[in-house]
Amino acid sequence: MNNDARIRPFRIDIPQAQLDDLHARLAATRWPDELPGVGWSYGVPTSYARTLAEYWRTGFDWRAAEARLNAFPQFTTPIDGQNIHFLHVRSPEPDALPLIITHGWPGSIAEFMNVIGPLTDPAAHGGDRSDAFHVVAPSIPGFGFSGPTTETGWDLERVARAWARLMDRLGYRRYGAQGGDSGSVISPMLGRAAPENVVGVHVNGALGFPTGDPAELAELTPAELARLDQYQDQDRAGYAIIQATRPQTLAFGLHDSPAGQLAWIVEKFKEWTDPARDLPEDAVDRDELLTDVSIYWFTGTAASAARLYKEGQKGWGAVAEYSALPHGVAVFPGDGGVRRIAEREHHVVHWSEFDRGGHFAAMEAPELLVEDIRAFFRPLR
């Protein structure tokens, strides 16, 4: 057994040869045909993908994005046989509360570039210094600089257990957990894995999933029922079924074609961002979107990131043990959060609903998410 617990400084430094290869592949892309007049209903339009890919090739500045990411202290450490990459940004406030924040798919640590400053140093961002956090933002095993994984078994619960070990290794005995997408499942699991350490769990999106029991749905409002409809939407769920069943087959296209990787991710930014926005870049800064896509491409983690769905499929819809830890939820437009569903398995003490933003809240509405995190943890410090 490897007992190496060393924490090593890490810096992103993509070789120029990889950038040159990306640009050459984009220039040589063999583009598919498309039907006239169908918009996005058949998937990402070729005309849209070509325009975005051309900007990725000729306008996007990876070195600037790399420098922005490297402005945050980064480290790696081996946990459970996997090299884990994480940002660790300590607050200037000595009594700050440690907080581990978790992304999902198709996200990455790039999601958090606009929230880390306000979370760690609120006084410098118009907030109260008593709301400060020491922020730990890991890359999920198999994602980005924590990937690829090299064995089966890396499901969400194993990630949560790894997070508990990471926080212990950093010397944090009392901390909060926050997450969106897969992070909204991992964070409550972390609370269950380390209830003596986690003071509270905040998620954006949804907390828990409907069981289909008619009694559970009987008293829901029309708006809440509409939110739950997305769980039955086979059209929107197609990507998840593919990643949960044949991630390796999918990866041949995504790993070899940057245009394929771009389209696979940008489709989710179209479908999951604020419904009031027409295009992904209307909701999320285009360079930040391409920073996220570039991380998947340069780290070659299309297959291992998709495997998170394959590994976790057996637990879909399973009822979790009730967690008495305080939980908070921030629901943004397009999210599936319903309080009655969340309260079935969690002690919900904080619930917020917003009229702007979307699934990628840390990128779309960072100021709203930050203030909600502050408000939830304020009485738990």
Side-chain angles (χ1 to χ4, degrees):
M1 180 178 178
N2 187 347
N3 293 317
D4 183 2
R6 284 177 290 179
I7 296 174
R8 299 173 175 85
F10 179 84
R11 189 170 179 82
I12 302 169
D13 185 13
I14 301 302
Q16 184 60 41
Q18 287 196 35
L19 271 74
D20 295 342
D21 176 71
L22 167 64
H23 296 157
R25 287 171 183 263
L26 287 170
T29 300
R30 192 172 76 149
W31 296 101
D33 71 306
E34 62 180 330
L35 294 171
V38 299
W40 288 74
S41 64
Y42 280 64
V44 180
T46 297
S47 53
Y48 176 82
R50 289 189 76 151
T51 300
L52 188 57
E54 182 62 14
Y55 177 75
W56 193 14
R57 185 178 75 88
T58 62
F60 174 66
D61 186 347
W62 166 256
R63 292 303 182 199
E66 189 177 65
R68 190 178 177 197
L69 289 167
N70 281 332
F72 301 113
Q74 298 172 62
F75 306 87
T76 62
T77 191
I79 297 177
D80 197 11
Q82 183 69 25
N83 196 45
I84 303 297
H85 163 263
F86 61 99
L87 310 183
H88 184 197
V89 187
R90 289 188 59 85
S91 171
E93 307 298 336
D95 57 349
L97 177 69
L99 178 70
I100 182 167
I101 57 177
T102 306
H103 64 84
W105 185 92
S108 66
I109 47 97
E111 286 186 59
F112 303 130
M113 288 190 290
N114 297 321
V115 300
I116 290 176
L119 288 172
T120 57
D121 192 2
H125 295 82
D128 190 318
R129 64 181 68 252
S130 64
D131 286 326
F133 297 92
H134 300 307
V135 171
V136 178
S139 298
I140 294 174
F143 287 66
F145 303 101
S146 284
T149 44
T150 57
E151 61 180 356
T152 60
W154 273 104
D155 60 10
L156 298 172
E157 289 191 17
R158 187 173 176 183
V159 175
R161 293 193 299 270
W163 280 191
R165 291 180 61 183
L166 173 61
M167 295 302 276
D168 182 69
R169 189 169 295 178
L170 293 173
Y172 293 138
R173 304 290 180 260
R174 186 176 184 275
Y175 53 88
Q178 200 283 328
D181 195 84
S182 300
S184 71
V185 182
I186 293 168
S187 298
M189 287 180 172
L190 173 57
R192 290 182 174 89
E196 68 283 3
N197 305 112
V198 177
V199 300
V201 176
H202 180 281
V203 304
N204 53 284
L207 188 62
F209 300 94
T211 62
D213 181 356
E216 187 176 63
L217 309 178
E219 297 180 15
L220 299 185
T221 68
E224 290 172 330
L225 290 170
R227 289 180 198 166
L228 295 184
D229 281 346
Q230 66 180 277
Y231 294 108
Q232 308 301 322
D233 189 343
Q234 295 297 310
D235 194 56
R236 286 170 62 97
Y239 83 97
I241 303 303
I242 293 173
Q243 295 198 151
T245 56
R246 298 295 182 268
Q248 190 64 35
T249 306
L250 170 69
F252 286 101
L254 305 188
H255 188 83
D256 188 60
S257 167
Q261 180 70 89
L262 176 66
W264 191 245
I265 289 178
V266 80
E267 180 182 86
K268 301 305 129 193
F269 277 85
K270 162 65 173 175
E271 292 185 347
W272 296 349
T273 49
D274 191 332
R277 308 294 183 179
D278 288 334
L279 294 172
E281 61 267 32
D282 296 334
V284 172
D285 180 86
R286 182 170 58 171
D287 285 353
E288 292 179 7
L289 189 160
L290 289 172
T291 299
D292 182 65
V293 176
S294 297
I295 288 173
Y296 280 81
W297 176 258
F298 289 133
T299 59
T301 49
S304 59
R307 286 198 291 266
L308 187 69
Y309 285 71
K310 177 73 169 177
E311 299 291 350
Q313 183 191 24
K314 61 184 180 296
W316 288 3
V319 177
E321 178 185 356
Y322 184 80
S323 174
L325 288 175
H327 285 73
V329 183
V331 182
F332 290 87
D335 287 335
V338 172
R339 184 160 190 165
R340 181 169 175 174
I341 303 295
E343 289 178 334
R344 188 184 65 233
E345 299 169 359
H346 311 87
H347 176 43
V348 178
V349 300
H350 176 95
W351 189 272
S352 301
E353 298 186 10
F354 297 97
D355 60 5
R356 65 180 178 89
H359 187 76
F360 301 94
M363 304 174 84
E364 297 181 68
E367 73 288 355
L368 296 181
L369 180 62
V370 165
E371 184 47 48
D372 204 67
I373 293 171
R374 290 172 179 169
F376 169 71
F377 282 106
R378 206 166 281 145
L380 303 177
R381 289 176 175 271

